[in-house]
Amino acid sequence: MTRLIDHTTATACHPWPDDVYLQGGEHGVVMRPDSAGGPYTTAFVEIFPLGTFLRGEGPTIEAAEDACWKKYLTWRDCDGTGEPHGPFEARGYANGCGHCTRCGTWMTGVLPVQPADPDREPGPLENALLGDDEALGEILGTVARADDLPDGPRGDAA
Ligand SMILES: [Zn+2]
């Protein structure tokens, strides 16, 4: 059975379960601080299984799907012992999200929610959602010049 990756014309190469929503794009724009190289465009494929969000990036949809599939298998199987994910560590998240210390998968609702860190710098998307017009302008401007942005790192940027 063939299955299309939503928002693309690509047919999925991997046997994704029916209950996993699969979407992608040829020219996703990734916001990244200038200190980390600035914004770039990439092909991407992403899925939203319960409790997490997995995304693969690559020069082509096929490569992005391969990267996403690898993450999916890691999420599905963890370290292969059959034990549930965990323990988790926050790695900077205070909103209950954390990374499994065994397989590294990022998951939601696995840690207690912490008080906000007053020193944390919100990213441009968070600022835009909070009503910061300058941040919104930066995002829209970046998306508008997507054709001029460099291609992302080959392989998986995450
Ligand atoms: Zn795990």
Side-chain angles (χ1 to χ4, degrees), residues 68-82:
C68 192
W69 178 253
K70 268 188 213 145
K71 289 186 178 182
Y72 168 74
L73 293 180
T74 300
W75 170 76
R76 189 190 68 183
D77 301 336
C78 194
D79 60 3
T81 58

Side-chain angles (χ1 to χ4, degrees), residues 18-96:
D18 289 340
D19 62 349
V20 166
Y21 175 65
L22 189 62
Q23 70 173 16
E26 305 275 354
H27 302 288
V29 174
V30 178
M31 302 297 294
R32 189 172 53 172
D34 288 338
S35 58
Y40 63 91
T41 62
T42 183
F44 66 95
V45 169
E46 55 198 15
I47 63 172
F48 307 86
L50 188 65
T52 190
F53 161 76
L54 303 174
R55 173 180 166 112
E57 297 180 359
T60 62
I61 288 285
E62 291 73 23
E65 188 194 350
D66 283 346
C68 192
W69 178 253
K70 268 188 213 145
K71 289 186 178 182
Y72 168 74
L73 293 180
T74 300
W75 170 76
R76 189 190 68 183
D77 301 336
C78 194
D79 60 3
T81 58
E83 297 293 318
H85 292 284
F88 297 93
E89 60 185 19
R91 296 192 200 166
Y93 286 97
N95 58 359

